[in-house]
């Protein structure tokens, strides 16, 4: 059963009432979010006060899967916008007492939050929640499918480092098959005109790709050649089918020697958590001339502020 949406008017800023993934977003939506995120990034750097933006709004965060980075980034974004974040602790919830997920969601909705941020291991959980509540829903990562705010903050980081996304060679490397970050990024970066490469051993390539334009490479040596951006991913151990060996990824470590094959001034990215010595060598992760990794973490806050503002205030950038 879907309940009527609280917002009577469609938003001027985005074509969507929720952020369930990158897939439903138009290029205009993506540009609107990135422009607003850039505005917040500059404002935060100057120390501007944005606490009037979502004053008196209450946003619930529901994390059914472990998260430190993403959750904290959302909490800081809410605080910077003046909203109150209420954390609904999924572990101690009534689900462990036998309540159905659908009833839990309806109870939460009955308390009339102004927004819901959800992370869940089930495919499509954010859409399910969105169809049962009367406020905007933001996907903070579901299954291996989508992690839209991560892809948006990655795009913001690239745009600010390189000035554009269109025409860049971008390699996404490692356990692509089980990574929602890879999937959301493949959709977003292809949509904005980058030449996206999926670089993974066969076992870690997805069965389907979200865009026909994505080139496939089996080795890091070939895959990162002349790339402007190299995005490394960790092995998603928690989503690996039982008995599946990860040995093929042993050769997937980005070292300073390999990095010489990328374009001069290539930027290195990683969504975190990094497994140093596995997919990335210390000397790459810590090289301030190439590493954009902590800049990604920094861009997470303004990006999430932009999404919250656009969805909860329903206005354009
Ligand atoms: C990512 C996630 O949860 O999908 N991490 C994050 O959002 N910081 C990537 C990962 O867990 O590897």
């Amino acid at each position: 059963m879907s309940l009527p949406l609280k917002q009577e008017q469609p938003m001027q800023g985005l074509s969507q009432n929720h952020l369930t993934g990158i897939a439903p977003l138009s290029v205009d939506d993506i540009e609107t979010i990135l422009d607003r995120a850039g505005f917040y990034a500059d404002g935060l750097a100057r120390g501007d006060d944005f606490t009037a933006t979502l004053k008196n709004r209450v946003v619930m965060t529901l994390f059914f899967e472990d998260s430190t980075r993403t959750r904290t980034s959302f909490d800081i974004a809410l605080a910077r916008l003046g909203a109150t974040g209420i954390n609904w602790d999924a572990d101690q919830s009534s689900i462990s007492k036998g309540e159905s997920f659908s009833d839990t969601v309806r109870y939460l909705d009955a308390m009339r939050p102004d927004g819901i941020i959800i992370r869940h291991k089930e495919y499509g959980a954010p859409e399910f929640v969105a169809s049962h509540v009367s406020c905007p829903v933001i996907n903070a990562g579901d299954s291996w499918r989508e992690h839209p705010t991560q892809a948006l903050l990655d795009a913001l980081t690239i745009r600010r480092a390189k000035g554009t996304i269109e025409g860049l060679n971008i390699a996404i490397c490692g356990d692509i098959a089980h990574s929602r970050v890879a999937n959301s990024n493949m959709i977003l970066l292809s949509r904005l005109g980058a030449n996206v490469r999926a670089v993974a051993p066969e076992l870690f390539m997805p069965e389907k790709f979200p865009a026909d334009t994505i080139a496939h490479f089996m080795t890091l040596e070939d895959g990162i050649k002349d790339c402007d951006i190299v995005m490394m991913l960790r092995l998603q151990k928690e989503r690996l089918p039982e008995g599946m060996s990860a040995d093929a990824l042993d050769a997937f470590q980005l070292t300073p020697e390999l990095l010489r094959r990328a374009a001069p001034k290539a930027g290195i990215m990683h969504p975190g958590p990094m497994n140093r010595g596995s997919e990335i060598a210390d000397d790459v992760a810590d090289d301030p001339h190439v590493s954009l990794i902590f800049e990604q973490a920094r861009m997470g806050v303004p990006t999430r502020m932009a999404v919250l503002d656009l969805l909860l205030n329903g206005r354009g950038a």
Side-chain angles (χ1 to χ4, degrees):
M1 183 190 75
S2 359
L3 302 172
L5 280 173
K6 203 186 285 176
Q7 288 154 328
E8 279 156 24
Q9 297 289 324
M11 283 175 304
Q12 291 158 22
L14 300 180
S15 68
Q16 306 290 314
N17 292 316
H18 307 280
L19 180 67
T20 54
I22 298 296
L25 298 181
S26 66
V27 170
D28 277 354
D29 289 333
I30 295 170
E31 297 286 359
T32 300
I33 296 170
L34 294 182
D35 287 349
R36 190 137 199 97
F39 160 81
Y40 280 127
D42 292 340
L44 289 176
R46 283 193 301 267
D48 292 355
D49 178 358
F50 296 111
T51 51
T53 313
L54 291 182
K55 192 164 178 273
N56 297 330
R57 308 293 187 91
V58 177
V59 175
M60 246 174 209
T61 51
L62 270 74
F63 279 71
F64 291 89
E65 244 192 14
D66 290 346
S67 170
T68 316
R69 258 154 292 270
T70 303
R71 184 181 206 149
T72 307
S73 180
F74 269 114
D75 282 346
I76 294 177
L78 287 167
R80 294 279 183 223
L81 291 171
T84 302
I86 305 281
N87 177 30
W88 187 80
D89 195 339
D91 279 346
Q92 292 166 32
S93 78
S94 38
I95 285 186
S96 59
K97 298 181 191 161
E99 184 175 86
S100 76
F101 183 51
S102 140
D103 278 342
T104 303
V105 171
R106 286 176 198 192
Y107 276 111
L108 294 177
D109 185 54
M111 294 182 233
R112 286 292 179 262
D114 296 298
I116 292 178
I117 298 164
I118 178 167
R119 169 170 286 198
H120 203 289
K121 66 178 187 331
E122 296 292 337
Y123 184 105
E127 280 84 350
F128 179 86
V129 175
S131 69
H132 284 75
V133 301
S134 52
C135 63
V137 172
I138 298 171
N139 181 2
D142 75 303
S143 65
W144 51 266
R145 186 189 67 123
E146 282 253 28
H147 192 350
T149 57
Q150 179 70 44
L152 288 160
L153 75 88
D154 289 343
L156 182 67
T157 306
I158 298 171
R159 204 166 83 164
R160 288 166 79 87
K162 298 286 175 192
T164 180
I165 289 175
E166 193 174 356
L168 292 183
N169 295 323
I170 302 182
I172 302 177
C173 314
D175 182 5
I176 300 178
H178 307 107
S179 169
R180 54 193 172 210
V181 174
N183 195 46
S184 287
N185 263 311
M186 288 193 287
I187 304 172
L188 191 159
L189 297 171
S190 313
R191 214 164 269 181
L192 292 192
N195 306 312
V196 179
R197 304 179 185 183
V199 187
E202 204 171 349
L203 263 181
F204 292 89
M205 281 284 191
E207 278 169 26
K208 278 200 206 147
F209 285 86
D212 297 338
T213 49
I214 295 166
H216 308 177
F217 293 85
M218 301 287 198
T219 66
L220 270 185
E221 283 81 352
D222 295 336
I224 67 171
K225 195 164 178 311
D226 302 324
C227 275
D228 305 290
I229 294 287
V230 179
M231 189 182 290
M232 297 306 297
L233 303 168
R234 74 177 174 93
L235 169 68
Q236 303 283 308
K237 289 191 194 89
E238 65 278 28
R239 280 190 279 280
L240 217 57
E242 222 180 283
M244 180 173 166
S245 159
D247 290 354
L249 281 174
D250 287 353
F252 264 69
Q253 186 184 130
L254 188 63
T255 59
E257 296 73 45
L258 265 180
L259 190 54
R260 286 194 207 110
R261 298 180 63 80
K265 300 197 183 145
I268 305 309
M269 300 177 73
H270 194 305
M274 276 189 281
N275 288 317
R276 289 165 178 265
S278 293
E279 69 273 7
I280 192 160
D282 282 335
D283 290 348
V284 176
D286 296 329
D287 182 346
H289 301 295
V290 297
S291 176
L292 295 171
I293 296 167
F294 296 103
E295 182 65 4
Q296 288 172 267
R298 198 161 75 87
M299 289 303 118
V301 172
T303 302
R304 292 175 172 118
M305 288 169 75
V307 168
L308 285 159
D309 178 14
L310 286 163
L311 289 179
L312 271 67
N313 282 329
R315 60 184 161 84

